Amino acid sequence: MENQKELEGLRKSKGALEQVIAHHLKGQKAKKILPPQLEAEFWHFNIDRTRSNAIQFFGQGVITFTIYVLLILPTNYVIIRDSANFTVDFAYSILSLFIVGLALFLFWAFSRFRHLRAYFYQASCTIIFSTIIVVSLLLLSVSSVVLQNQAMLLLAFLYILGFVLSGIKPLHMLWLGAVAASIVLFLLYIFDIPCDFLIVGRMYIGSMLLGFSMSVILIAKERKFFIRSKISEIDEKILRLQASELLHLSQHDELTKISNRRTFDEMFEHFYQLACQTSKPLSFLFIDIDYFKNYNDFYGHLKGDEVISEIAKTIQSSIRHMDFIARYGGEEFVVLLPETSAQGAYAVATNIYRTIDRLMIPHERSLVAKHVTISLGVTVFHGDAEISQETVIHTADKALYRAKQLGRNQVYYQPIAKAVEDI
């Protein structure tokens, strides 16, 4: 029942996600596609992927950045070697590259170390914001116009990286980039640093618009991927539950919900081998409802099924957690009691017998009482590998037969050794 409810819930969730994809394909705005809870889960998923990529590709990023530095520094030297402020310009150039490298390292550190991961998003915003401001001020303060123009390409690249690779939400990055650009332009104006404010402003605006557009497109694709991955997860859970349900049905009796004959055969093999290895007793109870055919003929099969279910439930509640019960067939049940002596088995059987007797289920066609009763056959296997499993079952069955011969409504114990002699 619980599995069925869970399956129904999973199918509803899958249907809702499929509707989300359908709406997305119809062209709804990407930012309004997901419900709030699912949107929050998506961004958690997206940030995890960003962190994972930062860790995975950190080595490649270091190599790429090193190659870039080795290429850019000599060219900067050539560009500004005749500049009047060569030392300052070249120092600013080196310092800006160092800051970019430090930003990449901090981005990796907040991805890699567990105690820093909780602050990854805030750290990403702070790192991008600070890097844009500091690098902008350094590179736009150089006296070389050629170096300033080159700097604007680097700044545009930083903006696009911030939008595309940092894991920051597009709207957050747009506000962050706009505030950083405003601060830079304000400081350049306050400190009277010579630069073409129109070109710089156009660079900032163009970079932000391009980065924002790219990130919105990429995030929309990421949302689709996220939803499809969620559907795949749900499909996997549904398959697992269905497999579990099929396994449960194959191992349990549908009416009583206890183990069936097939499972009994497997469990008896296990307990038998365990008793042989440990030389500890294994008690076997065979139980039969007295005059059950008469009950069915008089009350009907539906009432008969109710009695079988009630008897199974009562037996199960009368044994230990480590014990095993199964419906052997029809109105017959078997109980395995590991590490239980003959005295203990007889006590358990007597307790089951009395508990069912106290139920006082009416049985007008019983020849031994006015209510439903049971007969029990008991035997004990002591771990002797020379005695087969068939012999143990036969002995318990013979004990049950003797209980019926003696008038039913009773417990009968049959030692295995005596049964072997009789055979």
PDB file of all heavy atoms in Angstrom, residues 348-379:
ATOM      1  N   VAL A 348       6.159 -21.929  22.738  1.00  0.00           N
ATOM      2  CA  VAL A 348       5.685 -21.018  21.684  1.00  0.00           C
ATOM      3  C   VAL A 348       4.422 -21.576  21.041  1.00  0.00           C
ATOM      4  O   VAL A 348       3.445 -20.853  20.807  1.00  0.00           O
ATOM      5  CB  VAL A 348       6.778 -20.795  20.617  1.00  0.00           C
ATOM      6  CG1 VAL A 348       6.222 -20.011  19.427  1.00  0.00           C
ATOM      7  CG2 VAL A 348       7.963 -20.057  21.208  1.00  0.00           C
ATOM      8  N   ALA A 349       4.449 -22.886  20.735  1.00  0.00           N
ATOM      9  CA  ALA A 349       3.278 -23.511  20.116  1.00  0.00           C
ATOM     10  C   ALA A 349       2.056 -23.404  21.020  1.00  0.00           C
ATOM     11  O   ALA A 349       0.937 -23.109  20.553  1.00  0.00           O
ATOM     12  CB  ALA A 349       3.589 -24.979  19.812  1.00  0.00           C
ATOM     13  N   THR A 350       2.248 -23.632  22.304  1.00  0.00           N
ATOM     14  CA  THR A 350       1.133 -23.532  23.259  1.00  0.00           C
ATOM     15  C   THR A 350       0.599 -22.108  23.315  1.00  0.00           C
ATOM     16  O   THR A 350      -0.620 -21.881  23.381  1.00  0.00           O
ATOM     17  CB  THR A 350       1.597 -23.988  24.657  1.00  0.00           C
ATOM     18  OG1 THR A 350       2.089 -25.327  24.573  1.00  0.00           O
ATOM     19  CG2 THR A 350       0.460 -23.926  25.657  1.00  0.00           C
ATOM     20  N   ASN A 351       1.495 -21.130  23.285  1.00  0.00           N
ATOM     21  CA  ASN A 351       1.082 -19.726  23.311  1.00  0.00           C
ATOM     22  C   ASN A 351       0.255 -19.370  22.072  1.00  0.00           C
ATOM     23  O   ASN A 351      -0.777 -18.693  22.167  1.00  0.00           O
ATOM     24  CB  ASN A 351       2.314 -18.824  23.403  1.00  0.00           C
ATOM     25  CG  ASN A 351       1.952 -17.356  23.456  1.00  0.00           C
ATOM     26  OD1 ASN A 351       1.131 -16.938  24.263  1.00  0.00           O
ATOM     27  ND2 ASN A 351       2.554 -16.571  22.574  1.00  0.00           N
ATOM     28  N   ILE A 352       0.709 -19.860  20.895  1.00  0.00           N
ATOM     29  CA  ILE A 352      -0.041 -19.619  19.655  1.00  0.00           C
ATOM     30  C   ILE A 352      -1.423 -20.267  19.752  1.00  0.00           C
ATOM     31  O   ILE A 352      -2.450 -19.648  19.415  1.00  0.00           O
ATOM     32  CB  ILE A 352       0.735 -20.178  18.445  1.00  0.00           C
ATOM     33  CG1 ILE A 352       2.017 -19.364  18.213  1.00  0.00           C
ATOM     34  CG2 ILE A 352      -0.140 -20.156  17.187  1.00  0.00           C
ATOM     35  CD1 ILE A 352       2.940 -19.949  17.168  1.00  0.00           C
ATOM     36  N   TYR A 353      -1.444 -21.520  20.218  1.00  0.00           N
ATOM     37  CA  TYR A 353      -2.695 -22.265  20.348  1.00  0.00           C
ATOM     38  C   TYR A 353      -3.687 -21.527  21.254  1.00  0.00           C
ATOM     39  O   TYR A 353      -4.855 -21.344  20.908  1.00  0.00           O
ATOM     40  CB  TYR A 353      -2.371 -23.658  20.897  1.00  0.00           C
ATOM     41  CG  TYR A 353      -3.555 -24.419  21.444  1.00  0.00           C
ATOM     42  CD1 TYR A 353      -4.450 -25.051  20.606  1.00  0.00           C
ATOM     43  CD2 TYR A 353      -3.774 -24.488  22.830  1.00  0.00           C
ATOM     44  CE1 TYR A 353      -5.542 -25.748  21.106  1.00  0.00           C
ATOM     45  CE2 TYR A 353      -4.850 -25.169  23.335  1.00  0.00           C
ATOM     46  CZ  TYR A 353      -5.739 -25.797  22.473  1.00  0.00           C
ATOM     47  OH  TYR A 353      -6.815 -26.480  22.978  1.00  0.00           O
ATOM     48  N   ARG A 354      -3.208 -21.044  22.384  1.00  0.00           N
ATOM     49  CA  ARG A 354      -4.096 -20.372  23.339  1.00  0.00           C
ATOM     50  C   ARG A 354      -4.543 -18.998  22.829  1.00  0.00           C
ATOM     51  O   ARG A 354      -5.698 -18.580  23.057  1.00  0.00           O
ATOM     52  CB  ARG A 354      -3.389 -20.225  24.689  1.00  0.00           C
ATOM     53  CG  ARG A 354      -3.226 -21.566  25.415  1.00  0.00           C
ATOM     54  CD  ARG A 354      -2.415 -21.407  26.672  1.00  0.00           C
ATOM     55  NE  ARG A 354      -2.309 -22.675  27.404  1.00  0.00           N
ATOM     56  CZ  ARG A 354      -1.507 -22.871  28.437  1.00  0.00           C
ATOM     57  NH1 ARG A 354      -0.723 -21.874  28.872  1.00  0.00           N
ATOM     58  NH2 ARG A 354      -1.474 -24.051  29.043  1.00  0.00           N
ATOM     59  N   THR A 355      -3.642 -18.305  22.163  1.00  0.00           N
ATOM     60  CA  THR A 355      -3.995 -16.978  21.639  1.00  0.00           C
ATOM     61  C   THR A 355      -5.095 -17.074  20.598  1.00  0.00           C
ATOM     62  O   THR A 355      -6.047 -16.271  20.600  1.00  0.00           O
ATOM     63  CB  THR A 355      -2.750 -16.296  21.025  1.00  0.00           C
ATOM     64  OG1 THR A 355      -1.716 -16.230  22.006  1.00  0.00           O
ATOM     65  CG2 THR A 355      -3.082 -14.885  20.552  1.00  0.00           C
ATOM     66  N   ILE A 356      -4.976 -18.045  19.703  1.00  0.00           N
ATOM     67  CA  ILE A 356      -6.013 -18.232  18.685  1.00  0.00           C
ATOM     68  C   ILE A 356      -7.318 -18.713  19.326  1.00  0.00           C
ATOM     69  O   ILE A 356      -8.412 -18.305  18.927  1.00  0.00           O
ATOM     70  CB  ILE A 356      -5.516 -19.219  17.612  1.00  0.00           C
ATOM     71  CG1 ILE A 356      -4.406 -18.535  16.789  1.00  0.00           C
ATOM     72  CG2 ILE A 356      -6.661 -19.665  16.701  1.00  0.00           C
ATOM     73  CD1 ILE A 356      -3.709 -19.425  15.816  1.00  0.00           C
ATOM     74  N   ASP A 357      -7.191 -19.556  20.339  1.00  0.00           N
ATOM     75  CA  ASP A 357      -8.380 -20.041  21.037  1.00  0.00           C
ATOM     76  C   ASP A 357      -9.148 -18.878  21.673  1.00  0.00           C
ATOM     77  O   ASP A 357     -10.384 -18.864  21.696  1.00  0.00           O
ATOM     78  CB  ASP A 357      -7.970 -21.060  22.108  1.00  0.00           C
ATOM     79  CG  ASP A 357      -9.153 -21.830  22.651  1.00  0.00           C
ATOM     80  OD1 ASP A 357      -9.825 -22.520  21.862  1.00  0.00           O
ATOM     81  OD2 ASP A 357      -9.413 -21.724  23.864  1.00  0.00           O
ATOM     82  N   ARG A 358      -8.388 -17.871  22.171  1.00  0.00           N
ATOM     83  CA  ARG A 358      -9.024 -16.717  22.826  1.00  0.00           C
ATOM     84  C   ARG A 358      -9.719 -15.786  21.837  1.00  0.00           C
ATOM     85  O   ARG A 358     -10.510 -14.929  22.231  1.00  0.00           O
ATOM     86  CB  ARG A 358      -7.989 -15.931  23.645  1.00  0.00           C
ATOM     87  CG  ARG A 358      -7.593 -16.621  24.951  1.00  0.00           C
ATOM     88  CD  ARG A 358      -6.856 -15.651  25.869  1.00  0.00           C
ATOM     89  NE  ARG A 358      -5.574 -15.238  25.314  1.00  0.00           N
ATOM     90  CZ  ARG A 358      -4.422 -15.851  25.565  1.00  0.00           C
ATOM     91  NH1 ARG A 358      -4.388 -16.933  26.349  1.00  0.00           N
ATOM     92  NH2 ARG A 358      -3.301 -15.410  25.041  1.00  0.00           N
ATOM     93  N   LEU A 359      -9.417 -15.931  20.550  1.00  0.00           N
ATOM     94  CA  LEU A 359     -10.096 -15.098  19.549  1.00  0.00           C
ATOM     95  C   LEU A 359     -11.585 -15.416  19.492  1.00  0.00           C
ATOM     96  O   LEU A 359     -12.395 -14.544  19.128  1.00  0.00           O
ATOM     97  CB  LEU A 359      -9.476 -15.313  18.160  1.00  0.00           C
ATOM     98  CG  LEU A 359      -8.037 -14.830  17.948  1.00  0.00           C
ATOM     99  CD1 LEU A 359      -7.552 -15.232  16.561  1.00  0.00           C
ATOM    100  CD2 LEU A 359      -7.919 -13.331  18.145  1.00  0.00           C
ATOM    101  N   MET A 360     -11.933 -16.678  19.794  1.00  0.00           N
ATOM    102  CA  MET A 360     -13.332 -17.120  19.841  1.00  0.00           C
ATOM    103  C   MET A 360     -14.075 -16.788  18.529  1.00  0.00           C
ATOM    104  O   MET A 360     -15.186 -16.264  18.530  1.00  0.00           O
ATOM    105  CB  MET A 360     -14.054 -16.478  21.025  1.00  0.00           C
ATOM    106  CG  MET A 360     -13.488 -16.862  22.386  1.00  0.00           C
ATOM    107  SD  MET A 360     -13.632 -18.627  22.742  1.00  0.00           S
ATOM    108  CE  MET A 360     -15.407 -18.748  22.985  1.00  0.00           C
ATOM    109  N   ILE A 361     -13.427 -17.136  17.410  1.00  0.00           N
ATOM    110  CA  ILE A 361     -14.072 -16.935  16.109  1.00  0.00           C
ATOM    111  C   ILE A 361     -15.122 -18.030  15.936  1.00  0.00           C
ATOM    112  O   ILE A 361     -14.793 -19.221  15.944  1.00  0.00           O
ATOM    113  CB  ILE A 361     -13.033 -17.002  14.974  1.00  0.00           C
ATOM    114  CG1 ILE A 361     -11.943 -15.944  15.166  1.00  0.00           C
ATOM    115  CG2 ILE A 361     -13.711 -16.835  13.614  1.00  0.00           C
ATOM    116  CD1 ILE A 361     -10.781 -16.061  14.213  1.00  0.00           C
ATOM    117  N   PRO A 362     -16.387 -17.693  15.785  1.00  0.00           N
ATOM    118  CA  PRO A 362     -17.448 -18.710  15.707  1.00  0.00           C
ATOM    119  C   PRO A 362     -17.223 -19.727  14.593  1.00  0.00           C
ATOM    120  O   PRO A 362     -16.820 -19.363  13.475  1.00  0.00           O
ATOM    121  CB  PRO A 362     -18.709 -17.880  15.434  1.00  0.00           C
ATOM    122  CG  PRO A 362     -18.374 -16.508  15.934  1.00  0.00           C
ATOM    123  CD  PRO A 362     -16.916 -16.316  15.683  1.00  0.00           C
ATOM    124  N   HIS A 363     -17.463 -21.018  14.903  1.00  0.00           N
ATOM    125  CA  HIS A 363     -17.324 -22.087  13.915  1.00  0.00           C
ATOM    126  C   HIS A 363     -18.387 -23.147  14.233  1.00  0.00           C
ATOM    127  O   HIS A 363     -18.147 -24.098  14.976  1.00  0.00           O
ATOM    128  CB  HIS A 363     -15.913 -22.683  13.988  1.00  0.00           C
ATOM    129  CG  HIS A 363     -15.595 -23.638  12.888  1.00  0.00           C
ATOM    130  ND1 HIS A 363     -16.533 -24.133  12.012  1.00  0.00           N
ATOM    131  CD2 HIS A 363     -14.404 -24.221  12.521  1.00  0.00           C
ATOM    132  CE1 HIS A 363     -15.955 -24.962  11.162  1.00  0.00           C
ATOM    133  NE2 HIS A 363     -14.663 -25.037  11.459  1.00  0.00           N
ATOM    134  N   GLU A 364     -19.545 -22.979  13.645  1.00  0.00           N
ATOM    135  CA  GLU A 364     -20.674 -23.863  13.934  1.00  0.00           C
ATOM    136  C   GLU A 364     -20.466 -25.283  13.419  1.00  0.00           C
ATOM    137  O   GLU A 364     -21.106 -26.221  13.903  1.00  0.00           O
ATOM    138  CB  GLU A 364     -21.951 -23.282  13.304  1.00  0.00           C
ATOM    139  CG  GLU A 364     -22.415 -21.974  13.923  1.00  0.00           C
ATOM    140  CD  GLU A 364     -22.871 -22.156  15.364  1.00  0.00           C
ATOM    141  OE1 GLU A 364     -23.322 -23.266  15.715  1.00  0.00           O
ATOM    142  OE2 GLU A 364     -22.766 -21.185  16.135  1.00  0.00           O
ATOM    143  N   ARG A 365     -19.581 -25.470  12.444  1.00  0.00           N
ATOM    144  CA  ARG A 365     -19.407 -26.790  11.859  1.00  0.00           C
ATOM    145  C   ARG A 365     -18.135 -27.494  12.352  1.00  0.00           C
ATOM    146  O   ARG A 365     -17.728 -28.510  11.795  1.00  0.00           O
ATOM    147  CB  ARG A 365     -19.346 -26.672  10.322  1.00  0.00           C
ATOM    148  CG  ARG A 365     -20.696 -26.320   9.702  1.00  0.00           C
ATOM    149  CD  ARG A 365     -21.686 -27.457   9.940  1.00  0.00           C
ATOM    150  NE  ARG A 365     -22.979 -27.200   9.319  1.00  0.00           N
ATOM    151  CZ  ARG A 365     -24.010 -26.636   9.932  1.00  0.00           C
ATOM    152  NH1 ARG A 365     -23.884 -26.242  11.202  1.00  0.00           N
ATOM    153  NH2 ARG A 365     -25.142 -26.445   9.301  1.00  0.00           N
ATOM    154  N   SER A 366     -17.506 -26.968  13.404  1.00  0.00           N
ATOM    155  CA  SER A 366     -16.354 -27.649  13.990  1.00  0.00           C
ATOM    156  C   SER A 366     -16.833 -28.809  14.847  1.00  0.00           C
ATOM    157  O   SER A 366     -17.852 -28.711  15.537  1.00  0.00           O
ATOM    158  CB  SER A 366     -15.537 -26.679  14.841  1.00  0.00           C
ATOM    159  OG  SER A 366     -14.505 -27.356  15.517  1.00  0.00           O
ATOM    160  N   LEU A 367     -16.093 -29.896  14.844  1.00  0.00           N
ATOM    161  CA  LEU A 367     -16.463 -31.073  15.624  1.00  0.00           C
ATOM    162  C   LEU A 367     -15.744 -31.124  16.972  1.00  0.00           C
ATOM    163  O   LEU A 367     -15.925 -32.088  17.737  1.00  0.00           O
ATOM    164  CB  LEU A 367     -16.143 -32.349  14.831  1.00  0.00           C
ATOM    165  CG  LEU A 367     -16.829 -32.456  13.462  1.00  0.00           C
ATOM    166  CD1 LEU A 367     -16.446 -33.759  12.773  1.00  0.00           C
ATOM    167  CD2 LEU A 367     -18.335 -32.319  13.580  1.00  0.00           C
ATOM    168  N   VAL A 368     -14.924 -30.072  17.278  1.00  0.00           N
ATOM    169  CA  VAL A 368     -14.182 -30.070  18.547  1.00  0.00           C
ATOM    170  C   VAL A 368     -14.510 -28.861  19.420  1.00  0.00           C
ATOM    171  O   VAL A 368     -14.192 -28.856  20.618  1.00  0.00           O
ATOM    172  CB  VAL A 368     -12.653 -30.118  18.298  1.00  0.00           C
ATOM    173  CG1 VAL A 368     -12.248 -31.451  17.681  1.00  0.00           C
ATOM    174  CG2 VAL A 368     -12.203 -28.955  17.424  1.00  0.00           C
ATOM    175  N   ALA A 369     -15.112 -27.827  18.843  1.00  0.00           N
ATOM    176  CA  ALA A 369     -15.449 -26.631  19.620  1.00  0.00           C
ATOM    177  C   ALA A 369     -16.449 -25.806  18.823  1.00  0.00           C
ATOM    178  O   ALA A 369     -16.727 -26.094  17.648  1.00  0.00           O
ATOM    179  CB  ALA A 369     -14.196 -25.809  19.921  1.00  0.00           C
ATOM    180  N   LYS A 370     -16.993 -24.784  19.474  1.00  0.00           N
ATOM    181  CA  LYS A 370     -17.937 -23.896  18.819  1.00  0.00           C
ATOM    182  C   LYS A 370     -17.229 -22.686  18.181  1.00  0.00           C
ATOM    183  O   LYS A 370     -17.871 -21.773  17.683  1.00  0.00           O
ATOM    184  CB  LYS A 370     -18.984 -23.399  19.825  1.00  0.00           C
ATOM    185  CG  LYS A 370     -19.959 -24.481  20.273  1.00  0.00           C
ATOM    186  CD  LYS A 370     -20.768 -25.010  19.088  1.00  0.00           C
ATOM    187  CE  LYS A 370     -21.776 -26.078  19.543  1.00  0.00           C
ATOM    188  NZ  LYS A 370     -22.548 -26.622  18.411  1.00  0.00           N
ATOM    189  N   HIS A 371     -15.908 -22.692  18.237  1.00  0.00           N
ATOM    190  CA  HIS A 371     -15.128 -21.602  17.646  1.00  0.00           C
ATOM    191  C   HIS A 371     -13.933 -22.198  16.898  1.00  0.00           C
ATOM    192  O   HIS A 371     -13.653 -23.396  17.006  1.00  0.00           O
ATOM    193  CB  HIS A 371     -14.659 -20.618  18.720  1.00  0.00           C
ATOM    194  CG  HIS A 371     -13.874 -21.276  19.819  1.00  0.00           C
ATOM    195  ND1 HIS A 371     -14.467 -21.800  20.944  1.00  0.00           N
ATOM    196  CD2 HIS A 371     -12.547 -21.506  19.960  1.00  0.00           C
ATOM    197  CE1 HIS A 371     -13.552 -22.318  21.738  1.00  0.00           C
ATOM    198  NE2 HIS A 371     -12.373 -22.145  21.158  1.00  0.00           N
ATOM    199  N   VAL A 372     -13.233 -21.366  16.150  1.00  0.00           N
ATOM    200  CA  VAL A 372     -12.090 -21.817  15.337  1.00  0.00           C
ATOM    201  C   VAL A 372     -10.952 -22.247  16.244  1.00  0.00           C
ATOM    202  O   VAL A 372     -10.580 -21.526  17.176  1.00  0.00           O
ATOM    203  CB  VAL A 372     -11.620 -20.705  14.383  1.00  0.00           C
ATOM    204  CG1 VAL A 372     -10.315 -21.093  13.709  1.00  0.00           C
ATOM    205  CG2 VAL A 372     -12.692 -20.402  13.340  1.00  0.00           C
ATOM    206  N   THR A 373     -10.394 -23.433  15.967  1.00  0.00           N
ATOM    207  CA  THR A 373      -9.240 -23.948  16.712  1.00  0.00           C
ATOM    208  C   THR A 373      -8.167 -24.384  15.726  1.00  0.00           C
ATOM    209  O   THR A 373      -8.414 -24.465  14.508  1.00  0.00           O
ATOM    210  CB  THR A 373      -9.639 -25.143  17.596  1.00  0.00           C
ATOM    211  OG1 THR A 373     -10.168 -26.181  16.742  1.00  0.00           O
ATOM    212  CG2 THR A 373     -10.681 -24.753  18.632  1.00  0.00           C
ATOM    213  N   ILE A 374      -6.997 -24.693  16.245  1.00  0.00           N
ATOM    214  CA  ILE A 374      -5.899 -25.151  15.397  1.00  0.00           C
ATOM    215  C   ILE A 374      -5.255 -26.394  16.001  1.00  0.00           C
ATOM    216  O   ILE A 374      -5.356 -26.647  17.200  1.00  0.00           O
ATOM    217  CB  ILE A 374      -4.819 -24.056  15.217  1.00  0.00           C
ATOM    218  CG1 ILE A 374      -4.235 -23.645  16.564  1.00  0.00           C
ATOM    219  CG2 ILE A 374      -5.361 -22.873  14.435  1.00  0.00           C
ATOM    220  CD1 ILE A 374      -3.024 -22.719  16.456  1.00  0.00           C
ATOM    221  N   SER A 375      -4.589 -27.133  15.117  1.00  0.00           N
ATOM    222  CA  SER A 375      -3.743 -28.246  15.545  1.00  0.00           C
ATOM    223  C   SER A 375      -2.318 -27.915  15.166  1.00  0.00           C
ATOM    224  O   SER A 375      -2.062 -27.317  14.102  1.00  0.00           O
ATOM    225  CB  SER A 375      -4.177 -29.543  14.863  1.00  0.00           C
ATOM    226  OG  SER A 375      -5.497 -29.886  15.218  1.00  0.00           O
ATOM    227  N   LEU A 376      -1.362 -28.273  16.036  1.00  0.00           N
ATOM    228  CA  LEU A 376       0.050 -27.944  15.803  1.00  0.00           C
ATOM    229  C   LEU A 376       0.920 -29.181  15.935  1.00  0.00           C
ATOM    230  O   LEU A 376       0.782 -29.953  16.888  1.00  0.00           O
ATOM    231  CB  LEU A 376       0.549 -26.894  16.798  1.00  0.00           C
ATOM    232  CG  LEU A 376      -0.140 -25.528  16.786  1.00  0.00           C
ATOM    233  CD1 LEU A 376      -1.238 -25.498  17.831  1.00  0.00           C
ATOM    234  CD2 LEU A 376       0.881 -24.407  17.058  1.00  0.00           C
ATOM    235  N   GLY A 377       1.829 -29.352  14.970  1.00  0.00           N
ATOM    236  CA  GLY A 377       2.849 -30.382  15.043  1.00  0.00           C
ATOM    237  C   GLY A 377       4.196 -29.730  15.253  1.00  0.00           C
ATOM    238  O   GLY A 377       4.531 -28.745  14.589  1.00  0.00           O
ATOM    239  N   VAL A 378       4.988 -30.229  16.195  1.00  0.00           N
ATOM    240  CA  VAL A 378       6.265 -29.610  16.559  1.00  0.00           C
ATOM    241  C   VAL A 378       7.380 -30.642  16.463  1.00  0.00           C
ATOM    242  O   VAL A 378       7.216 -31.794  16.886  1.00  0.00           O
ATOM    243  CB  VAL A 378       6.214 -29.058  17.998  1.00  0.00           C
ATOM    244  CG1 VAL A 378       7.533 -28.371  18.348  1.00  0.00           C
ATOM    245  CG2 VAL A 378       5.043 -28.110  18.173  1.00  0.00           C
ATOM    246  N   THR A 379       8.514 -30.228  15.896  1.00  0.00           N
ATOM    247  CA  THR A 379       9.722 -31.042  15.931  1.00  0.00           C
ATOM    248  C   THR A 379      10.922 -30.115  16.035  1.00  0.00           C
ATOM    249  O   THR A 379      10.799 -28.894  15.825  1.00  0.00           O
ATOM    250  CB  THR A 379       9.839 -31.944  14.691  1.00  0.00           C
ATOM    251  OG1 THR A 379      10.864 -32.926  14.927  1.00  0.00           O
ATOM    252  CG2 THR A 379      10.204 -31.151  13.450  1.00  0.00           C
TER     253      THR A 379
END
